[in-house]
Amino acid sequence: MKQILLVRHGQASFGADDYDALSDLGHEQSRVLGRALAAAGVRPDVLVRGGQRRHAETAAGILDGLGVDGAAEVVDPRWNEFDFEQVVELHAPRFRDRAVMMAELAATGRPRQAFQEIFEVATHRWTTADGDAGYAESFPAFSARVVAGLEEVAELQPERGTAVVVTSGGPIGMAASHLIAGDASLWPALNRVMVNTSVTKVIRGGRGLSMVSFNAHTHLEGVQADGGSGLLTYR
């Protein structure tokens, strides 16, 4: 039986000049996941990743943890995250000025939580918009590309093989929604709970693709980072 492991990237650099780079914690999460996969006897036959920096760095950390050197990777931009910065800016145009956004979030005393609240309102606007409403990618277009990417991965892997897909929370939530409900209706609820380097397992049998676990992150539970903090993060 074929299995596809959808992996969310490690923690990115929230608040830094380049969000797309992993934080030190994100690099460590990736290596920890690789070691956990190795301990479970998982060796990917195919490694597919999105084209963003955080996907490449997460894949490198996983391979390091697995003890695999120079593995071939397939880069597929259909596994890229949606443009959440534009989604937020169309909801709150003042946030086109990044300094204004960071100052406003910092003033709350809980910047990550405050951003999450804004993010959820902004994505609701995106998911319910008529037409493109100025978005570079509409919600239906995002849904369609993720489904196409998932179908492509299922065709790439050998019989009884394992494919590891390194991507973002948005595409994983979309894939899971389609596998559970047959459409994008569950995406808002699934997207908001994604853990960094969590693993969602999909199998392909006689009835096609089925999701058997979602957002698994036991490899992070109870594990301390080098700096002493916990490894479990959502953003």
Side-chain angles (χ1 to χ4, degrees):
M1 185 175 293
K2 296 183 177 184
Q3 66 173 354
I4 302 170
L5 305 181
L6 304 177
V7 177
R8 189 190 179 196
H9 61 77
Q11 185 188 59
S13 298
F14 180 80
D17 289 340
D18 185 3
Y19 169 84
D20 202 24
L22 292 191
S23 68
D24 290 344
L25 187 65
H27 284 290
E28 190 165 357
Q29 290 168 332
S30 304
R31 292 189 294 270
V32 166
L33 174 57
R35 291 194 291 269
L37 293 175
V42 174
R43 303 285 290 189
D45 298 287
V46 178
L47 193 151
V48 179
R49 63 172 175 85
Q52 294 169 293
R53 179 176 176 179
R54 56 192 183 272
H55 302 148
E57 293 183 347
T58 300
I62 291 170
L63 293 175
D64 183 31
L66 277 167
V68 175
D69 184 30
E73 300 176 14
V74 176
V75 180
D76 185 347
R78 287 175 294 189
W79 290 104
N80 286 359
E81 184 62 283
F82 67 95
D83 189 349
F84 70 88
E85 291 179 335
Q86 186 197 46
V87 167
V88 169
E89 289 167 4
L90 285 175
H91 165 65
R94 66 189 183 280
F95 286 167
R96 291 193 178 99
D97 186 327
R98 186 172 172 280
V100 168
M101 182 182 75
M102 297 311 299
E104 187 172 317
L105 295 176
T108 67
R110 48 184 190 92
R112 291 180 184 271
Q113 296 92 325
F115 179 80
Q116 184 64 28
E117 292 165 5
I118 294 166
F119 175 82
E120 290 184 12
V121 175
T123 53
H124 176 74
R125 179 181 184 270
W126 177 52
T127 62
T128 57
D130 292 328
D132 63 19
Y135 297 104
E137 180 179 46
S138 69
F139 185 66
F142 172 60
S143 174
R145 74 159 159 97
V146 171
V147 170
L150 182 61
E151 291 173 349
E152 174 81 5
V153 171
E155 294 303 320
L156 278 175
Q157 64 188 133
E159 287 298 325
R160 307 187 70 82
T162 296
V164 172
V165 180
V166 180
T167 178
S168 293
I172 295 173
M174 182 61 72
S177 181
H178 277 274
L179 290 168
I180 297 169
D183 56 32
S185 59
L186 299 180
W187 181 82
L190 297 174
N191 185 53
R192 71 171 63 102
V193 299
M194 295 297 302
V195 172
N196 291 119
T197 68
S198 64
V199 179
T200 293
K201 182 176 179 179
V202 179
I203 60 172
R204 183 178 184 182
R207 297 186 178 183
L209 296 176
S210 301
M211 189 178 72
V212 295
S213 64
F214 172 72
N215 202 31
H217 51 273
T218 54
H219 60 286
L220 303 174
E221 293 176 343
V223 181
Q224 298 297 307
D226 289 341
S229 62
L231 282 183
L232 196 154
T233 60
Y234 293 86
R235 183 167 295 285

